[in-house]
Amino acid sequence: MRIIKVSRDAFPEINLDGFNRQQKITRIYVKKDGTYVLEEQPGVMDWSIDKKREVAQDLRDSAYISYLAIEEDRIIGFMSLVKELVAERMILDLIQVDTDFRGQGIGRMLWEKAVEEARLNGAKELYISACPSEETIHFYKAMGAEVTNNPIMAIAEDEPDDLQMVCRIG
């Protein structure tokens, strides 16, 4: 497995059609009386083929810094950061690992690339609008992120169910 930075020249087309993004959800974090609590809410999260193609295009977009985790010729994970800082914060747009490859440290390796890029670009914090699933939040907390009381309002309003998190890196 290798992790490589996306460039328009090296990756004229990124194909995520076969990427398995499926995530089984048992519990999610919900805000009640000013604090987050876990609630049972079983279900499955996944992306449509149109969403996968939209994400593939975004990974190549010059407004983002993106990395791919590749095993042989298969994309098994990816990470994308918004290039433009918001008040010394770099926004982690997304980090995903194929369902078949989770639990192998690939997410951590992609996270480390995100932190490295954020530092190189002068950020003091990584900002995450995180899916409220227990698994997702526990991953970000294990990476050192915490729920913030100072969210980027445009993002928080656009994703009202997400937990707004930051990780100090500088």
Side-chain angles (χ1 to χ4, degrees):
M1 194 271 305
R2 56 193 162 66
I3 295 182
I4 48 182
K5 191 172 186 176
V6 173
S7 72
R8 292 178 85 79
D9 298 333
F11 295 97
E13 183 178 324
I14 296 173
N15 188 331
L16 297 177
D17 288 6
F19 188 84
N20 186 357
R21 193 257 181 219
Q22 191 175 78
Q23 181 178 353
K24 291 180 182 168
I25 306 294
T26 304
R27 302 189 305 172
I28 65 167
Y29 282 91
V30 177
K31 196 168 194 174
K32 289 191 175 181
D33 301 323
T35 188
Y36 284 99
V37 295
L38 278 170
E39 280 190 357
E40 296 291 323
Q41 197 171 79
V44 176
M45 294 177 67
D46 206 350
W47 285 343
S48 68
I49 195 73
D50 289 338
K51 177 65 176 176
K52 289 178 183 182
R53 290 175 180 170
E54 177 186 323
V55 169
Q57 289 299 316
D58 288 348
L59 290 171
R60 294 182 55 244
D61 191 300
S62 62
Y64 298 92
I65 300 168
S66 303
Y67 282 82
L68 303 175
I70 298 177
E71 174 114 337
E72 296 174 10
D73 289 332
R74 180 178 174 190
I75 296 172
I76 60 172
F78 49 89
M79 175 279 295
S80 184
L81 298 159
V82 177
K83 274 187 184 177
E84 187 176 330
L85 297 184
V86 176
E88 296 189 327
R89 291 175 165 175
M90 184 164 261
I91 299 165
L92 179 66
D93 184 53
L94 52 80
I95 188 169
Q96 295 288 327
V97 175
D98 189 293
T99 302
D100 299 333
F101 292 87
R102 292 183 187 151
Q104 298 179 30
I106 297 165
R108 178 176 293 279
M109 287 185 265
L110 290 166
W111 174 266
E112 289 168 359
K113 284 293 183 187
V115 169
E116 179 184 325
E117 283 289 345
R119 282 188 178 129
L120 286 171
N121 285 277
K124 303 290 185 217
E125 293 180 333
L126 269 179
Y127 184 90
I128 309 112
S129 182
C131 160
S133 75
E134 182 177 26
E135 174 188 57
T136 299
I137 300 307
H138 286 192
F139 169 78
Y140 287 125
K141 284 185 174 185
M143 298 300 107
E146 299 176 346
V147 175
T148 183
N149 292 323
N150 184 23
I152 297 173
M153 291 310 296
I155 295 174
E157 289 168 359
D158 191 42
E159 298 286 349
D161 294 331
D162 282 6
L163 275 69
Q164 305 305 305
M165 304 180 81
V166 295
C167 181
R168 294 252 344 125
I169 59 167

